[in-house]
Amino acid sequence: MATKLTSAAVKAMVLLALFAAGVWLVLTIYRASDSDYLLQDYPNRLARVLSTEPVAFTPLELELTPLSGRATASAMQAYQLSVRQWWQLKPCQLNDRLAERNSNLGRVQSPSVRLSYEIDMLQALMRCASDTQPTETRDLLLELLSHKRQQLRQVWQHMWLKEPALTKLVTPAHSHFDFGQQGDSEITAVEQALQYLITVSEAIAVLANPQSDNNQLSALNWDSDLFEQHLKVLFHSDVVPQILHSQHQAIASLSMSSALLQANQQLCNDGQHNRSSKLTKAFFGQYYLGTIQPLLGEVKRASDRLTPLMLKLLTNTPSHYQVRFHQIHQQQRFVEVIKAHSKQWQQLFAHCGVTSGEQLKSR
């Protein structure tokens, strides 16, 4: 009986060991393809190659300015009309639009839908003013137009603070950008959505400008459905937030790694020239050039396409939205840190007697 129990216990231990080995293998394979882990582990791997103390990855701390729509909430307030003024505007056929805005559904509509409503109302008022002779009614229409122009700019800015598709653009994700998952098609879709928003931004600037003439206002071709489609693309895509996250991860990782290289510039002067140069060549070629650098390249290429569009959009957004973006926008620093890290590698190779040609051969 004891022998059977012992045999069963041995089998159970073997099965448990096999299960643990399987879990370890799965985690290893997953980590090998996880960009976040690779960047975080890079300084520690480099420390082992340099035979120095292991280091723990320290991410950049981000304290983002909160986005509040309180300052632009007044844009949601309607212009109060008397009964007599309502009657004066009857020929303009605005009742359906006003009813839409004042309905229960209209009171809780999203900022983007409210923007479409305001553009439609502004254009309807402009058409009515153009068809109305200089009378008391025309004066009222011009007064309403002045109010609506100002309100339109506020509604546009309020949308940037409250529309989920737009607030996420300036909020880093918790995952790394991976071109293999997103692909060029998603980046292109986000690129097109941002370009469309730039077009809308320019149109808003025309509509909200008191000096705009009637022809500019009446010729504007506004498509609310297309506008919502592009917002939907941004809402369902994490490309921009992931790029921001990856930039921060890379900056922290490369800064720590550059500090390690700088502290070990004399590594090859302690009688271990041969061994150290071989180790550094192998690590540089197989891990940095073969693994880390391609990740950095993916992030940079995507950021080069999307960041200029984001910067262009900032010109007509609320000031604290711009502050939030500048808090997390790290494109220039990201590029500078990569260059500085490459320079540290070159200096280390120079001390170890490894030429640039030999570095390339190590890939």
Side-chain angles (χ1 to χ4, degrees), residues 64-360:
L64 300 179
T65 298
L67 294 176
S68 172
R70 185 175 300 176
T72 54
S74 60
M76 301 299 109
Q77 301 299 318
Y79 188 91
Q80 299 300 316
L81 295 172
S82 66
V83 174
R84 183 170 180 273
Q85 289 172 326
W86 272 95
W87 183 258
Q88 286 178 276
L89 296 177
K90 186 177 180 181
C92 297
Q93 299 181 343
L94 302 175
N95 290 347
D96 289 344
R97 294 180 177 87
L98 291 170
E100 176 188 349
R101 198 274 315 278
N102 294 329
S103 67
N104 290 334
L105 183 60
R107 295 176 188 276
V108 295
Q109 61 194 358
S110 69
S112 64
V113 174
R114 177 60 186 265
L115 178 70
S116 295
Y117 165 81
E118 293 296 341
I119 291 176
D120 181 51
M121 178 62 76
L122 186 62
Q123 292 182 315
L125 288 170
M126 177 55 70
R127 287 191 294 270
C128 189
S130 299
D131 297 335
T132 304
Q133 297 299 319
T135 59
E136 184 181 352
T137 300
R138 180 177 169 81
D139 292 340
L140 174 60
L141 284 167
L142 294 179
E143 182 182 345
L144 282 172
L145 277 169
S146 176
H147 171 76
K148 282 297 180 183
R149 287 173 189 261
Q150 182 180 3
Q151 191 174 46
L152 178 64
R153 184 180 294 279
Q154 290 179 310
V155 170
W156 167 256
Q157 298 218 340
H158 187 76
M159 184 185 68
W160 283 91
L161 300 172
K162 288 299 182 180
E163 190 70 39
L166 301 179
T167 56
K168 74 179 294 186
L169 283 175
V170 288
T171 306
H174 297 288
S175 57
H176 185 89
F177 171 77
D178 187 345
F179 184 82
Q181 291 182 4
Q182 276 86 12
D184 186 69
S185 59
E186 184 175 352
I187 297 175
T188 300
V190 171
E191 193 173 30
Q192 291 172 347
L194 294 176
Q195 288 172 336
Y196 183 81
L197 284 178
I198 290 173
T199 302
V200 172
S201 176
E202 294 169 349
I204 296 296
V206 172
L207 285 169
N209 184 1
Q211 305 304 321
S212 299
D213 59 41
N214 297 357
N215 292 331
Q216 286 177 295
L217 294 174
S218 59
L220 180 67
N221 185 21
W222 174 254
D223 189 333
S224 58
D225 290 336
L226 184 59
F227 181 58
E228 292 295 334
Q229 288 174 19
H230 283 298
L231 287 180
K232 186 177 180 180
V233 168
L234 296 178
F235 180 78
H236 289 289
S237 173
D238 291 321
V239 166
V240 175
Q242 286 177 337
I243 287 173
L244 297 172
H245 172 80
S246 295
Q247 287 178 338
H248 284 286
Q249 292 278 44
I251 289 169
S253 177
L254 295 184
S255 297
M256 294 173 65
S257 300
S258 292
L260 283 171
L261 291 173
Q262 187 174 19
N264 289 274
Q265 288 293 303
Q266 305 304 318
L267 180 69
C268 297
N269 297 341
D270 59 2
Q272 300 182 26
H273 181 287
N274 233 11
R275 176 177 174 274
S276 298
S277 63
K278 288 180 179 179
L279 284 175
T280 53
K281 275 181 61 179
F283 183 80
F284 178 80
Q286 295 172 12
Y287 195 73
Y288 181 72
L289 291 184
T291 302
I292 300 300
Q293 197 173 72
L295 296 179
L296 301 176
E298 286 180 3
V299 176
K300 185 178 183 303
R301 283 190 294 273
S303 182
D304 286 345
R305 290 173 61 178
L306 302 180
T307 300
L309 298 176
M310 290 287 296
L311 290 172
K312 192 170 183 179
L313 271 173
L314 288 175
T315 57
N316 195 19
T317 57
S319 57
H320 41 307
Y321 189 96
Q322 296 178 33
V323 169
R324 164 71 78 85
F325 182 74
H326 286 304
Q327 280 182 296
I328 58 179
H329 170 50
Q330 299 286 345
Q331 174 77 349
Q332 183 176 353
R333 188 181 174 197
F334 172 65
V335 174
E336 290 172 351
V337 167
I338 293 176
K339 290 180 179 178
H341 188 62
S342 297
K343 186 176 180 180
Q344 289 295 333
W345 269 113
Q346 292 171 3
Q347 291 176 353
L348 181 65
F349 282 130
H351 282 108
C352 292
V354 181
T355 66
S356 297
E358 290 173 326
Q359 295 172 27
L360 293 175

Side-chain angles (χ1 to χ4, degrees), residues 58-64 248 252 327:
T58 306
L60 293 177
E61 295 294 331
L62 293 174
E63 295 183 4
L64 300 179
H248 284 286
Q327 280 182 296

